[in-house]
Amino acid sequence: MVEGTPWRHILKFVFPVLAGSLLQQLYSTVDTIIVGNFSGEAALSAVGTTGSFIFMFLAVATGFSAGNGVVVAQCYGAGDQKQVKENASTGILLLFGMGVLLTLVGILISRPAYTCFIAVPEEILDLTLLYFRVYALGLVFQFGYNIIAAILRAVGDSAATLYFLLIASAANIALDLLFVAGFRWGVLGAALATDIAQAGSLAAAWFYMTRKYAVFSFGRKDFTWDFSLAKKTLATGLPIASQLIIVSVGLTLIQRAVNAFGQSMIASFTVGNRIEQYINLPCNAFQTTLATYTGQNIGAGKTERVKKGARQAVAISLTMTLCISVLLWLSADVIIQMFGIGKEAAVYCRAHLRALALINLVLSSYIPLFGVFQGTNHAALPMVTATCALSTRVAVTYLFRYSPFLGHTIIWWNGIFGFGVGFVITWSYYLSGRWTKNVTEPQ
């Protein structure tokens, strides 16, 4: 990514990332559709209300994996193979350890979290706890997959992750049909299907990485743990993880507000959240791509190339998001029918989806720049931006949720306030050029 036309390299890298994310969303969506149609609206609501809390755990996996990926990318861009292997080894050990620890923590705190913090309605509480606890048993697989995928992206191999996710998607859908539609295991079957699919994806990723790349052919004695390297991964990944955790906390508070409106709103919000992930696919993929692109080019000392690539990536991200938004606006009713929700929930959901088609264009115009900040070790800025944006969304949600002006519609219109704040902060910082200062080169 350090030579040639920036947008060509970025697109070549981003399409596998985008396709992989699409596969992840597809099997999550199919999971939701199967649960909604074969287990009912209560089961659908239970699965949906776990989402924001689950995201809090995955934020740790994604953030620290991305942090390790940035460090590895910088070493790879500088041509230091020894540091590439040692940083990757330490990152793998660190993330697997985190996965085991958070699996235990998640199971232990699930009841107080869902009863006190998220305020899940009593009628779906048992289903919610069952789904989450079984799902949490597979967190270690997701932590393992995330670190391997981040390392592969760091050396420019984003295509391989697509195949691993294809395996996970096919397995998850097949097991959903077997466990939920066939055996009628409901939320238990949905959670088991996800765990097994993630384990298969991790196994495929490990097999590929250790055999395709000699530098990553780890034997038991090849693993090294270096506290200084772990500290570097933690320092780089902490702002990224914190940004995502802040997002998850904000979304959890919004979920609590949603829960107060009852099961129909919860079911509608579950569908809306699933579809929102599709709208955000381009900007999130470009953020991931620009973190690697920036890390490699900074490692090679090419700051101007980073600026050019960033501008091109934002333009392409916005264009892709616009196309998805138009499609969503036109097909909202067809999408809603697929999930098997009731009439009241469908009314809420239609308004939600059409609002998202407009609001998330703002998000797509600045999120890719987070990758630039992460790749230059200025990842604190995305964390600050996420904090301000989510604080704004939560504040307006609780301020206007019972008002005659917006009422329950603030559940989806809060995004225009939060994303507007994020846009101003992100572009102001980028245009100031401060992200080019004090860039830490690989040691």
Side-chain angles (χ1 to χ4, degrees):
M1 288 202 202
V2 296
E3 300 292 343
T5 307
W7 68 266
R8 292 182 185 274
H9 285 284
I10 290 170
L11 279 182
K12 182 179 179 181
F13 191 93
V14 83
F15 276 126
V17 175
L18 189 59
S21 298
L22 177 60
L23 280 174
Q24 283 184 309
Q25 294 309 320
L26 280 174
Y27 82 69
S28 294
T29 302
V30 171
D31 185 76
T32 306
I33 290 173
I34 293 173
V35 170
N37 281 279
F38 290 96
S39 299
E41 190 173 278
L44 175 66
S45 299
V47 172
T49 203
T50 63
S52 57
F53 192 55
I54 284 174
F55 185 64
M56 198 176 300
F57 292 87
L58 297 184
V60 178
T62 303
F64 288 110
S65 294
N68 186 257
V70 168
V71 174
V72 172
Q74 290 177 348
C75 295
Y76 184 78
D80 191 337
Q81 292 293 302
K82 182 175 182 291
Q83 282 292 300
V84 167
K85 183 169 186 175
E86 290 180 356
N87 275 288
S89 171
T90 298
I92 290 169
L93 293 174
L94 179 64
L95 266 293
F96 268 100
M98 286 182 172
V100 173
L101 177 62
L102 288 184
T103 293
L104 298 174
V105 171
I107 292 172
L108 289 173
I109 69 171
S110 57
R111 179 169 288 277
Y114 282 112
T115 53
C116 301
F117 184 42
I118 307 175
V120 173
E122 188 66 32
E123 61 267 25
I124 61 170
L125 179 59
D126 288 341
L127 289 174
T128 299
L129 291 174
L130 175 61
Y131 179 83
F132 175 79
R133 287 168 176 169
V134 176
Y135 179 96
L137 293 174
L139 281 175
V140 66
F141 303 131
Q142 300 203 42
F143 273 73
Y145 171 77
N146 270 275
I147 184 60
I148 294 174
I151 291 168
L152 289 173
R153 286 193 294 266
V155 298
D157 190 349
S158 62
T161 58
L162 176 61
Y163 304 122
F164 313 145
L165 290 171
L166 182 60
I167 292 171
S169 299
N172 195 81
I173 292 170
L175 291 170
D176 267 335
L177 290 171
L178 178 64
F179 295 160
V180 181
F183 296 165
R184 301 286 180 169
W185 287 353
V187 297
L188 170 63
L192 283 174
T194 301
D195 290 348
I196 296 170
Q198 289 292 339
S201 183
L202 169 60
W206 178 259
F207 182 85
Y208 174 87
M209 183 183 75
T210 56
R211 282 157 180 77
K212 174 71 180 291
Y213 297 95
V215 69
F216 300 135
S217 58
F218 298 110
R220 186 170 60 183
K221 295 181 179 180
D222 294 324
F223 277 104
T224 57
W225 173 262
D226 187 314
F227 279 103
S228 64
L229 298 183
K231 183 178 179 181
K232 191 172 184 180
T233 286
L234 290 170
T236 306
L238 182 60
I240 305 173
S242 298
Q243 171 206 334
L244 295 173
I245 290 171
I246 289 166
V247 169
S248 70
V249 171
L251 293 178
T252 299
L253 291 172
I254 292 172
Q255 180 71 59
R256 182 186 175 95
V258 169
N259 291 348
F261 288 105
Q263 184 175 302
S264 292
M265 178 63 85
I266 296 172
S268 166
F269 192 68
T270 298
V271 176
N273 276 346
R274 287 284 185 266
I275 301 305
E276 185 173 11
Q277 302 309 312
Y278 288 95
I279 308 175
N280 295 340
L281 283 175
C283 64
N284 290 333
F286 278 103
Q287 176 187 350
T288 299
T289 297
L290 281 179
T292 299
Y293 172 87
T294 301
Q296 290 189 3
N297 280 278
I298 289 298
K302 298 184 176 182
T303 303
E304 289 303 314
R305 182 175 170 79
V306 173
K307 294 179 181 179
K308 186 175 182 180
R311 293 193 299 270
Q312 293 173 351
V314 170
I316 299 170
S317 169
L318 188 55
T319 302
M320 287 183 174
T321 304
L322 178 60
C323 293
I324 296 171
S325 294
V326 170
L327 181 62
L328 174 61
W329 184 278
L330 296 175
S331 60
D333 289 332
V334 176
I335 291 171
I336 292 167
Q337 290 173 8
M338 295 170 58
F339 289 87
I341 59 178
K343 291 183 179 180
E344 184 181 0
V347 172
Y348 292 143
C349 196
R350 185 179 300 108
H352 190 172
L353 295 183
R354 288 182 170 167
L356 290 176
L358 300 173
I359 295 168
N360 285 56
L361 289 170
V362 180
L363 187 72
S364 71
S365 66
Y366 72 85
I367 286 293
L369 295 179
F370 283 7
V372 175
F373 304 146
Q374 291 162 359
T376 53
N377 299 317
H378 285 74
L381 193 278
M383 180 179 68
V384 171
T385 303
T387 302
C388 294
L390 261 297
S391 297
T392 301
R393 291 184 65 186
V394 171
V396 298
T397 296
Y398 281 87
L399 185 62
F400 294 115
R401 61 179 172 160
Y402 298 127
S403 71
F405 174 57
L406 289 169
H408 67 268
T409 67
I410 195 62
I411 295 299
W412 42 86
W413 284 113
N414 63 57
I416 195 65
F417 300 96
F419 299 157
V421 169
F423 177 91
V424 172
I425 296 173
T426 301
W427 275 101
S428 296
Y429 192 82
Y430 177 80
L431 293 175
S432 74
R434 283 179 287 176
W435 57 273
T436 64
K437 310 299 182 184
N438 302 318
V439 175
T440 302
E441 302 292 346
Q443 301 298 316

